[in-house]
Amino acid sequence: YFATPYLLFNPALSRINLNTSVLPHFPILSIHAVTAGIALLIGPFQFLSPLRATYPSVHRLIGRIYIVCVFIGSIAAFFSALFSVSGFVAQVGFVTLDVLWFYSICQAYVAIRRGQIPVHRVWMTRNYALTFGAVTLRAWLYGGVALTILTHSASKISQADIYSTSAWISWVFTLAVAEWVFNQRLLQTFFVKPERVSDRAIVSK
């Protein structure tokens, strides 16, 4: 929905304030919006175990498309963030996100090329957590605006403040959730009780 206006390549339809002093800002933003939108849509299919097991070729094809989209989208997002007129705090938040987004997809690619499937899955999960930050960004934005209205604090908290905060918390939150899931699985491997040897096996010995 949010990427749709950028398919028309009409700056007047941009949902983000453009830097009028930088002409390439909108084209770069459009490239990011389209590629990131595709990655956001196809990413969840990569986590379906039946798809991986039954149709591995489809899994690999979607994976290649996802990696290319994130690779291009993260680079475009980086330059778009540099041109942003949303303030320094928001710029740093988005630049940090873009660097981590690019780094994690590179690590996921290197891992699968080496045949390190568990490592690949960890990095892909981290990467999609960052990709999903596009959704939580809107949730925090609308939630923050609604909260200021309900609490009558709009005069103290500006929309710029809400946007700057969302630029950080949106992806930090999703990445933290992903890391929490990893830690829970890791802890389970430490506390799994060894299987008890059956009485029949003991007697047979």
Side-chain angles (χ1 to χ4, degrees):
Y1 171 74
F2 283 98
T4 301
Y6 298 98
L7 293 173
L8 302 176
F9 293 100
N10 185 354
L13 300 177
S14 177
R15 298 182 184 278
I16 297 176
N17 294 330
L18 299 175
N19 189 334
T20 55
S21 63
V22 181
L23 293 179
H25 189 195
F26 181 75
I28 292 174
L29 182 60
S30 298
I31 293 172
H32 161 65
V34 174
T35 53
I38 294 173
L40 185 64
L41 286 175
I42 67 176
F45 293 100
Q46 294 301 87
F47 298 99
L48 299 177
S49 298
L51 179 65
R52 294 198 302 266
T54 309
Y55 304 102
S57 59
V58 175
H59 174 76
R60 287 193 292 270
L61 175 61
I62 295 176
R64 292 188 182 102
I65 296 173
Y66 179 88
I67 288 175
V68 171
C69 285
V70 173
F71 186 83
I72 297 174
S74 60
I75 295 175
F78 177 82
F79 286 102
S80 180
L82 293 180
F83 302 148
S84 175
V85 294
S86 301
F88 180 73
V89 175
Q91 277 184 302
V92 176
F94 286 129
V95 166
T96 305
L97 164 61
D98 301 331
V99 170
L100 293 176
W101 201 26
F102 179 83
Y103 177 78
S104 58
I105 201 62
C106 289
Q107 290 298 314
Y109 176 76
V110 170
I112 198 61
R113 293 293 296 176
R114 293 177 177 174
Q116 301 171 333
I117 296 178
V119 177
H120 170 73
R121 289 177 179 173
V122 169
W123 280 109
M124 284 298 287
T125 303
R126 285 172 174 157
N127 184 268
Y128 191 74
L130 296 171
T131 302
F132 200 77
V135 177
T136 53
L137 172 65
R138 274 76 186 180
W140 287 112
L141 280 174
Y142 293 137
V145 172
L147 184 62
T148 56
I149 294 174
L150 292 174
T151 57
H152 304 286
S153 57
S155 60
K156 299 179 182 179
I157 303 176
S158 65
Q159 291 190 4
D161 295 329
I162 298 173
Y163 191 82
S164 297
T165 304
S166 301
W168 283 92
I169 198 171
S170 57
W171 61 268
V172 170
F173 173 77
T174 54
L175 187 59
V177 171
E179 295 299 329
W180 180 83
V181 172
F182 295 147
N183 288 333
Q184 292 301 308
R185 291 177 180 176
L186 184 61
L187 289 174
Q188 286 179 0
T189 61
F190 287 135
F191 292 102
V192 171
K193 295 181 180 179
E195 296 182 1
R196 295 181 178 179
V197 181
S198 64
D199 295 337
R200 183 178 299 178
I202 295 176
V203 172
S204 63
K205 291 182 179 180

